[in-house]
Amino acid sequence: MADVSGPSRLAEPDEAISAEELQLAARNHGIPLEALRYDVTPAGLHYLLIHYDIPELDPAAHALTIGGAVDRPLTVSLAELRERPRVTHRVTLECAGNGRALLHPRPVSQPWLVEAVGNAEWTGTPLAPLLREAGLGPDALDVVFTGADHGVERGVEQDYQRALPVADALREEVLLAYEMNGAPLLPQHGAPLRLIVPGWYGMAHVKWLHSVEVRTEPFEGYQNAVAYRLRRDADDPGVPVTRIEPRALVRPPGFPDFMSRRRVLRPGLCTLDGRAWSGHAPVVSVEVTTDGGTTWEPAELDPAEGGDFAWRRWRHEWTATPGRYVLSARATDASGRTQPVEQPWNRGGFANNLVQRVEVVVPAE
Protein backbone atom coordinates (compact mmCIF):
# COMPACT_ATOMS: atom_id res chain seq x y z
CA MET A 1 0.00 0.00 0.00
CA ALA A 2 3.04 2.29 -0.01
CA ASP A 3 2.08 3.56 -3.48
CA VAL A 4 -1.34 4.61 -2.11
CA SER A 5 -0.58 5.90 1.37
CA GLY A 6 2.65 7.62 2.33
CA PRO A 7 4.38 8.05 5.70
CA SER A 8 3.60 10.89 8.06
CA ARG A 9 5.51 14.10 7.53
CA LEU A 10 5.92 17.68 8.68
CA ALA A 11 5.18 20.67 6.46
CA GLU A 12 8.12 22.69 5.20
CA PRO A 13 8.54 26.10 6.87
CA ASP A 14 6.78 28.01 4.07
CA GLU A 15 4.49 25.21 2.87
CA ALA A 16 0.84 26.15 2.44
CA ILE A 17 -2.11 23.90 3.21
CA SER A 18 -2.11 21.19 0.52
CA ALA A 19 -4.99 20.08 -1.70
CA GLU A 20 -5.07 16.79 0.25
CA GLU A 21 -5.42 18.66 3.54
CA LEU A 22 -8.12 20.87 2.02
CA GLN A 23 -9.96 17.72 0.90
CA LEU A 24 -9.87 16.43 4.48
CA ALA A 25 -11.06 19.77 5.79
CA ALA A 26 -14.01 19.66 3.37
CA ARG A 27 -15.07 16.19 4.57
CA ASN A 28 -14.60 16.93 8.26
CA HIS A 29 -15.73 20.07 10.05
CA GLY A 30 -15.49 21.86 13.36
CA ILE A 31 -18.17 23.57 15.41
CA PRO A 32 -18.98 27.14 14.31
CA LEU A 33 -17.71 29.07 17.32
CA GLU A 34 -20.95 31.03 17.61
CA ALA A 35 -22.58 27.67 18.45
CA LEU A 36 -20.78 27.74 21.81
CA ARG A 37 -23.97 29.48 22.95
CA TYR A 38 -25.76 26.10 23.08
CA ASP A 39 -25.49 24.03 26.25
CA VAL A 40 -26.05 20.97 24.05
CA THR A 41 -24.55 21.16 20.55
CA PRO A 42 -27.09 20.44 17.79
CA ALA A 43 -26.02 17.32 15.90
CA GLY A 44 -25.40 19.20 12.66
CA LEU A 45 -23.08 21.69 14.39
CA HIS A 46 -21.08 19.12 16.38
CA TYR A 47 -17.52 18.59 15.15
CA LEU A 48 -17.01 15.66 12.81
CA LEU A 49 -14.03 13.47 11.91
CA ILE A 50 -14.39 10.46 9.61
CA HIS A 51 -11.21 8.42 9.19
CA TYR A 52 -12.25 6.42 6.13
CA ASP A 53 -15.77 6.11 4.62
CA ILE A 54 -19.17 6.24 6.28
CA PRO A 55 -20.18 2.57 6.07
CA GLU A 56 -23.60 1.42 4.87
CA LEU A 57 -25.18 -0.45 7.79
CA ASP A 58 -28.70 -1.80 8.36
CA PRO A 59 -29.87 -1.06 11.92
CA ALA A 60 -32.39 -3.91 11.78
CA ALA A 61 -29.62 -6.43 11.11
CA HIS A 62 -26.85 -4.86 13.18
CA ALA A 63 -25.40 -6.86 16.05
CA LEU A 64 -22.53 -6.46 18.48
CA THR A 65 -20.26 -9.40 19.24
CA ILE A 66 -18.26 -9.65 22.46
CA GLY A 67 -15.53 -12.26 22.36
CA GLY A 68 -11.88 -13.02 22.81
CA ALA A 69 -10.66 -13.87 26.31
CA VAL A 70 -14.13 -14.23 27.84
CA ASP A 71 -15.98 -17.16 29.41
CA ARG A 72 -19.22 -16.70 27.47
CA PRO A 73 -19.01 -14.97 24.05
CA LEU A 74 -22.06 -12.84 23.33
CA THR A 75 -23.88 -11.62 20.23
CA VAL A 76 -26.39 -8.87 20.99
CA SER A 77 -28.67 -7.23 18.42
CA LEU A 78 -29.34 -3.52 18.42
CA ALA A 79 -32.93 -4.25 19.46
CA GLU A 80 -31.66 -6.26 22.43
CA LEU A 81 -29.29 -3.46 23.43
CA ARG A 82 -32.26 -1.07 23.40
CA GLU A 83 -34.07 -3.36 25.87
CA ARG A 84 -31.23 -3.11 28.37
CA PRO A 85 -30.95 -0.31 31.00
CA ARG A 86 -31.03 3.05 29.23
CA VAL A 87 -28.65 5.82 30.30
CA THR A 88 -28.01 9.35 28.98
CA HIS A 89 -24.73 11.21 29.58
CA ARG A 90 -23.86 14.73 28.48
CA VAL A 91 -20.28 14.47 27.19
CA THR A 92 -17.86 16.89 25.55
CA LEU A 93 -15.96 15.27 22.68
CA GLU A 94 -12.80 16.85 21.30
CA CYS A 95 -10.58 15.60 18.50
CA ALA A 96 -7.08 14.71 19.69
CA GLY A 97 -5.68 16.76 16.79
CA ASN A 98 -7.56 19.94 17.66
CA GLY A 99 -5.19 22.89 17.15
CA ARG A 100 -2.78 20.92 14.94
CA ALA A 101 -2.71 23.49 12.12
CA LEU A 102 -1.47 26.17 14.54
CA LEU A 103 1.77 24.31 15.32
CA HIS A 104 5.15 25.13 13.75
CA PRO A 105 6.26 23.06 11.97
CA ARG A 106 2.78 21.86 11.07
CA PRO A 107 2.08 18.11 11.06
CA VAL A 108 0.46 17.34 7.70
CA SER A 109 -2.96 15.86 8.47
CA GLN A 110 -6.51 17.07 9.13
CA PRO A 111 -5.82 20.82 9.57
CA TRP A 112 -7.77 21.66 12.72
CA LEU A 113 -7.67 25.13 14.24
CA VAL A 114 -9.61 25.18 17.55
CA GLU A 115 -13.14 24.13 16.53
CA ALA A 116 -12.91 20.31 16.73
CA VAL A 117 -15.27 19.98 19.70
CA GLY A 118 -18.92 19.48 20.62
CA ASN A 119 -21.06 18.74 23.65
CA ALA A 120 -23.93 16.29 23.11
CA GLU A 121 -26.28 14.05 25.03
CA TRP A 122 -25.51 10.41 24.27
CA THR A 123 -28.01 7.69 25.10
CA GLY A 124 -27.30 3.98 25.23
CA THR A 125 -26.56 1.18 27.64
CA PRO A 126 -23.43 0.81 29.79
CA LEU A 127 -20.71 -1.47 28.43
CA ALA A 128 -19.50 -2.80 31.79
CA PRO A 129 -22.49 -5.10 32.54
CA LEU A 130 -22.07 -6.79 29.16
CA LEU A 131 -18.37 -7.37 29.78
CA ARG A 132 -19.17 -8.84 33.19
CA GLU A 133 -21.84 -11.10 31.65
CA ALA A 134 -19.32 -12.33 29.11
CA GLY A 135 -16.94 -13.10 31.97
CA LEU A 136 -13.50 -11.48 32.06
CA GLY A 137 -10.63 -13.66 33.14
CA PRO A 138 -8.01 -12.45 35.64
CA ASP A 139 -5.47 -12.06 32.81
CA ALA A 140 -7.67 -9.76 30.69
CA LEU A 141 -5.62 -6.71 29.76
CA ASP A 142 -7.06 -4.74 26.81
CA VAL A 143 -10.51 -4.44 25.26
CA VAL A 144 -10.44 -3.86 21.49
CA PHE A 145 -13.30 -2.05 19.73
CA THR A 146 -13.73 -2.48 15.96
CA GLY A 147 -15.76 -0.20 13.72
CA ALA A 148 -17.16 -0.99 10.28
CA ASP A 149 -15.14 1.73 8.52
CA HIS A 150 -12.24 0.32 6.48
CA GLY A 151 -9.33 2.05 4.78
CA VAL A 152 -5.60 2.47 4.49
CA GLU A 153 -3.49 4.80 6.61
CA ARG A 154 0.26 5.35 6.37
CA GLY A 155 0.48 2.21 4.24
CA VAL A 156 -1.51 -0.01 6.60
CA GLU A 157 -4.86 -1.43 5.44
CA GLN A 158 -7.18 -1.73 8.41
CA ASP A 159 -10.57 -1.57 10.04
CA TYR A 160 -10.68 1.31 12.47
CA GLN A 161 -9.80 -0.22 15.84
CA ARG A 162 -8.99 1.24 19.23
CA ALA A 163 -8.38 -0.43 22.60
CA LEU A 164 -8.98 0.57 26.20
CA PRO A 165 -7.32 -0.95 29.24
CA VAL A 166 -9.79 -3.24 31.02
CA ALA A 167 -10.08 -0.86 33.99
CA ASP A 168 -11.16 1.98 31.67
CA ALA A 169 -13.55 -0.20 29.68
CA LEU A 170 -15.25 -1.19 32.95
CA ARG A 171 -15.98 2.41 33.98
CA GLU A 172 -19.73 2.63 34.51
CA GLU A 173 -20.04 5.80 32.40
CA VAL A 174 -18.68 4.13 29.21
CA LEU A 175 -21.65 3.70 26.87
CA LEU A 176 -22.74 1.70 23.87
CA ALA A 177 -24.65 4.63 22.38
CA TYR A 178 -27.46 4.48 19.82
CA GLU A 179 -28.90 8.00 20.22
CA MET A 180 -27.50 11.54 20.07
CA ASN A 181 -29.52 14.42 21.52
CA GLY A 182 -32.61 12.22 21.85
CA ALA A 183 -32.64 11.01 18.24
CA PRO A 184 -31.13 7.96 16.52
CA LEU A 185 -27.48 8.43 15.62
CA LEU A 186 -26.88 10.08 12.27
CA PRO A 187 -24.78 8.08 9.77
CA GLN A 188 -21.79 10.41 10.12
CA HIS A 189 -21.91 10.17 13.92
CA GLY A 190 -21.66 6.38 14.02
CA ALA A 191 -25.13 4.96 13.30
CA PRO A 192 -26.40 2.59 14.38
CA LEU A 193 -24.00 2.06 17.33
CA ARG A 194 -20.91 3.74 18.70
CA LEU A 195 -18.75 3.82 21.80
CA ILE A 196 -18.72 6.82 24.16
CA VAL A 197 -15.75 7.07 26.56
CA PRO A 198 -16.32 10.19 28.67
CA GLY A 199 -13.16 12.18 29.32
CA TRP A 200 -11.12 10.69 26.47
CA TYR A 201 -10.23 12.33 23.16
CA GLY A 202 -12.45 11.49 20.19
CA MET A 203 -10.29 8.70 18.73
CA ALA A 204 -11.45 6.40 21.57
CA HIS A 205 -15.17 6.83 20.79
CA VAL A 206 -15.27 4.18 18.04
CA LYS A 207 -18.10 4.73 15.56
CA TRP A 208 -20.08 2.09 13.61
CA LEU A 209 -19.15 -0.36 16.36
CA HIS A 210 -19.68 -4.06 15.59
CA SER A 211 -17.27 -6.03 17.75
CA VAL A 212 -15.61 -5.99 21.16
CA GLU A 213 -12.68 -8.33 21.80
CA VAL A 214 -10.98 -8.92 25.15
CA ARG A 215 -7.26 -9.62 24.92
CA THR A 216 -4.65 -10.87 27.36
CA GLU A 217 -1.80 -9.00 25.66
CA PRO A 218 -1.41 -5.30 24.79
CA PHE A 219 -3.21 -4.34 21.58
CA GLU A 220 -0.67 -3.42 18.91
CA GLY A 221 -3.06 -2.23 16.21
CA TYR A 222 -2.19 0.86 14.19
CA GLN A 223 -4.46 3.34 15.97
CA ASN A 224 -3.01 2.39 19.37
CA ALA A 225 0.61 1.54 18.69
CA VAL A 226 1.43 3.95 15.83
CA ALA A 227 -1.17 6.73 15.64
CA TYR A 228 -2.35 8.87 18.54
CA ARG A 229 0.93 8.94 20.40
CA LEU A 230 2.85 11.95 21.71
CA ARG A 231 6.31 11.76 20.13
CA ARG A 232 9.09 14.21 19.43
CA ASP A 233 10.36 12.56 16.23
CA ALA A 234 9.66 9.64 13.92
CA ASP A 235 11.85 7.24 15.95
CA ASP A 236 10.32 8.12 19.30
CA PRO A 237 7.88 5.38 20.46
CA GLY A 238 5.99 8.08 22.31
CA VAL A 239 3.29 7.82 24.94
CA PRO A 240 -0.40 7.23 24.18
CA VAL A 241 -2.94 10.02 23.87
CA THR A 242 -5.76 9.38 26.34
CA ARG A 243 -7.68 12.01 28.31
CA ILE A 244 -8.63 15.50 27.16
CA GLU A 245 -6.39 18.32 28.35
CA PRO A 246 -8.15 21.40 29.82
CA ARG A 247 -9.32 23.99 27.32
CA ALA A 248 -11.49 27.11 27.26
CA LEU A 249 -12.89 28.71 24.13
CA VAL A 250 -14.19 32.24 23.66
CA ARG A 251 -17.48 32.67 21.83
CA PRO A 252 -16.37 35.43 19.45
CA PRO A 253 -18.19 38.69 20.25
CA GLY A 254 -19.60 41.20 17.76
CA PHE A 255 -19.70 40.30 14.08
CA PRO A 256 -17.05 38.95 11.68
CA ASP A 257 -15.23 40.00 8.57
CA PHE A 258 -16.17 37.35 5.99
CA MET A 259 -12.65 36.44 4.91
CA SER A 260 -10.43 36.89 7.96
CA ARG A 261 -13.08 36.17 10.64
CA ARG A 262 -11.64 39.16 12.55
CA ARG A 263 -14.35 40.45 14.88
CA VAL A 264 -15.89 43.93 14.93
CA LEU A 265 -17.41 45.00 18.24
CA ARG A 266 -19.28 48.17 19.16
CA PRO A 267 -17.88 50.19 22.10
CA GLY A 268 -19.52 49.68 25.46
CA LEU A 269 -20.19 47.02 28.04
CA CYS A 270 -19.84 43.50 26.62
CA THR A 271 -20.34 40.10 28.23
CA LEU A 272 -17.59 37.81 26.99
CA ASP A 273 -18.44 34.15 27.35
CA GLY A 274 -17.55 30.67 26.18
CA ARG A 275 -17.10 27.09 27.32
CA ALA A 276 -14.44 25.22 29.28
CA TRP A 277 -13.81 21.51 29.81
CA SER A 278 -11.24 18.88 30.79
CA GLY A 279 -11.14 15.10 30.68
CA HIS A 280 -8.87 14.77 33.71
CA ALA A 281 -10.99 16.52 36.33
CA PRO A 282 -13.75 19.14 36.55
CA VAL A 283 -12.85 22.70 35.50
CA VAL A 284 -12.52 24.87 38.60
CA SER A 285 -11.51 28.23 37.14
CA VAL A 286 -11.26 30.23 33.92
CA GLU A 287 -9.18 33.37 33.38
CA VAL A 288 -9.70 35.91 30.60
CA THR A 289 -7.32 38.34 28.92
CA THR A 290 -8.28 41.19 26.61
CA ASP A 291 -4.71 42.39 25.99
CA GLY A 292 -3.09 39.34 24.41
CA GLY A 293 -2.00 37.75 27.68
CA THR A 294 -0.35 40.68 29.44
CA THR A 295 -2.96 40.58 32.20
CA TRP A 296 -5.53 37.97 33.21
CA GLU A 297 -8.76 38.34 35.19
CA PRO A 298 -11.00 35.66 36.71
CA ALA A 299 -14.21 34.75 34.90
CA GLU A 300 -17.45 33.61 36.49
CA LEU A 301 -18.27 29.91 36.03
CA ASP A 302 -21.83 28.68 35.64
CA PRO A 303 -22.87 25.66 37.74
CA ALA A 304 -21.72 22.30 36.36
CA GLU A 305 -25.24 21.16 35.50
CA GLY A 306 -24.17 18.81 32.71
CA GLY A 307 -22.04 16.53 34.89
CA ASP A 308 -18.33 15.92 35.19
CA PHE A 309 -17.72 15.23 31.49
CA ALA A 310 -19.62 18.15 29.93
CA TRP A 311 -18.34 21.65 29.28
CA ARG A 312 -19.21 24.58 31.56
CA ARG A 313 -20.14 28.08 30.52
CA TRP A 314 -17.98 30.94 31.74
CA ARG A 315 -18.59 34.70 31.44
CA HIS A 316 -16.74 37.94 32.01
CA GLU A 317 -17.85 41.58 31.84
CA TRP A 318 -15.64 43.83 29.68
CA THR A 319 -16.01 47.47 28.70
CA ALA A 320 -14.81 47.74 25.12
CA THR A 321 -13.20 51.03 24.08
CA PRO A 322 -11.97 51.88 20.57
CA GLY A 323 -8.86 49.94 19.61
CA ARG A 324 -7.56 46.51 18.63
CA TYR A 325 -7.58 43.62 21.06
CA VAL A 326 -6.64 39.96 21.34
CA LEU A 327 -9.00 37.99 23.57
CA SER A 328 -8.18 34.63 25.17
CA ALA A 329 -9.40 32.39 27.96
CA ARG A 330 -7.59 29.64 29.83
CA ALA A 331 -9.01 26.86 31.97
CA THR A 332 -7.66 25.13 35.07
CA ASP A 333 -9.08 21.83 36.30
CA ALA A 334 -9.22 20.22 39.74
CA SER A 335 -6.11 18.15 38.98
CA GLY A 336 -4.07 21.39 38.69
CA ARG A 337 -3.69 21.27 34.90
CA THR A 338 -3.81 24.67 33.18
CA GLN A 339 -3.74 25.62 29.52
CA PRO A 340 -0.31 26.74 28.31
CA VAL A 341 0.38 30.12 26.75
CA GLU A 342 3.24 28.54 24.78
CA GLN A 343 2.37 25.11 23.41
CA PRO A 344 4.77 22.15 23.72
CA TRP A 345 5.24 20.62 20.26
CA ASN A 346 4.73 17.00 19.22
CA ARG A 347 5.03 15.34 15.83
CA GLY A 348 1.38 14.34 15.47
CA GLY A 349 -0.04 17.63 16.72
CA PHE A 350 -2.03 15.90 19.45
CA ALA A 351 -3.44 17.19 22.76
CA ASN A 352 -2.64 20.76 21.74
CA ASN A 353 -4.52 22.98 24.18
CA LEU A 354 -2.75 26.29 23.53
CA VAL A 355 -4.97 29.24 24.43
CA GLN A 356 -7.16 30.52 21.61
CA ARG A 357 -6.57 34.03 20.22
CA VAL A 358 -9.57 36.07 19.03
CA GLU A 359 -8.71 39.33 17.26
CA VAL A 360 -11.23 42.10 17.87
CA VAL A 361 -11.48 45.60 16.42
CA VAL A 362 -13.57 48.18 18.32
CA PRO A 363 -14.12 51.12 15.94
CA ALA A 364 -14.55 54.67 17.16
CA GLU A 365 -18.16 55.78 16.93
Side-chain angles (χ1 to χ4, degrees):
M1 292 289 181
D3 59 337
V4 175
S5 178
S8 64
R9 70 181 185 88
L10 301 176
E12 296 297 327
D14 297 325
E15 182 179 348
I17 295 288
S18 66
E20 288 182 338
E21 289 174 290
L22 181 59
Q23 181 175 237
L24 284 175
R27 282 185 58 82
N28 306 304
H29 65 77
I31 186 174
L33 290 179
E34 60 270 28
L36 292 172
R37 65 177 176 262
Y38 297 109
D39 290 335
V40 174
T41 308
L45 299 180
H46 195 286
Y47 99 90
L48 184 67
L49 178 68
I50 301 164
H51 275 81
Y52 308 128
D53 282 349
I54 299 171
E56 185 177 1
L57 300 174
D58 179 4
H62 195 75
L64 178 71
T65 62
I66 300 178
V70 298
D71 299 329
R72 297 169 293 279
L74 303 175
T75 299
V76 189
S77 70
L78 185 63
E80 289 170 329
L81 286 173
R82 285 182 168 273
E83 293 174 356
R84 298 178 68 87
R86 177 183 172 93
V87 176
T88 298
H89 292 315
R90 190 176 294 184
V91 178
T92 298
L93 266 63
E94 182 179 8
C95 185
N98 200 16
R100 174 187 290 124
L102 300 172
L103 295 178
H104 301 283
R106 185 184 82 252
V108 176
S109 185
Q110 166 67 30
W112 292 122
L113 297 173
V114 297
E115 295 93 346
V117 66
N119 187 64
E121 290 186 338
W122 305 95
T123 298
T125 194
L127 170 68
L130 280 158
L131 291 176
R132 289 193 287 264
E133 288 175 27
L136 301 180
D139 53 352
L141 186 63
D142 275 356
V143 182
V144 181
F145 302 89
T146 302
D149 47 332
H150 184 87
V152 58
E153 193 165 349
R154 307 307 183 194
V156 180
E157 185 178 349
Q158 58 191 282
D159 293 332
Y160 186 84
Q161 292 182 302
R162 279 284 306 186
L164 291 173
V166 164
D168 287 290
L170 287 173
R171 288 166 49 206
E172 293 300 327
E173 61 266 26
V174 175
L175 287 184
L176 300 169
Y178 44 75
E179 291 182 6
M180 178 184 185
N181 294 350
L185 290 173
L186 294 171
Q188 66 270 34
H189 285 297
L193 188 69
R194 70 174 297 167
L195 188 67
I196 294 294
V197 188
W200 283 52
Y201 280 110
M203 78 283 158
H205 304 243
V206 177
K207 296 189 283 190
W208 310 295
L209 182 67
H210 67 80
S211 75
V212 177
E213 182 184 5
V214 179
R215 298 197 179 186
T216 58
E217 297 180 351
F219 177 59
E220 296 296 333
Y222 178 87
Q223 302 296 339
N224 270 66
V226 180
Y228 295 108
R229 301 184 73 85
L230 301 173
R231 45 167 59 97
R232 295 294 302 173
D233 54 57
D235 297 323
D236 179 6
V239 296
V241 177
T242 57
R243 288 181 176 266
I244 298 172
E245 296 298 320
R247 185 191 290 274
L249 288 181
V250 178
R251 181 164 68 103
F255 54 92
D257 169 67
F258 170 75
M259 193 69 196
S260 69
R261 308 307 297 178
R262 186 174 292 111
R263 310 301 296 190
V264 179
L265 180 63
R266 304 296 187 200
L269 184 64
C270 172
T271 300
L272 303 177
D273 72 340
R275 303 287 172 168
W277 63 93
S278 173
H280 291 276
V283 169
V284 293
S285 69
V286 172
E287 299 169 281
V288 177
T289 180
T290 58
D291 56 16
T294 301
T295 60
W296 295 85
E297 297 183 30
E300 178 184 350
L301 274 176
D302 281 7
E305 296 176 350
D308 289 345
F309 299 104
W311 63 25
R312 293 179 69 178
R313 187 183 182 194
W314 60 265
R315 63 190 76 208
H316 177 71
E317 299 299 322
W318 177 48
T319 300
T321 57
R324 291 178 175 267
Y325 302 89
V326 176
L327 314 182
S328 300
R330 65 182 178 192
T332 299
D333 69 19
S335 73
R337 291 174 170 84
T338 300
Q339 284 183 261
V341 176
E342 296 184 5
Q343 177 64 47
W345 184 88
N346 68 86
R347 184 176 173 86
F350 297 125
N352 171 15
N353 63 334
L354 180 69
V355 296
Q356 171 198 20
R357 294 171 59 86
V358 179
E359 296 185 26
V360 173
V361 175
V362 181
E365 290 188 320

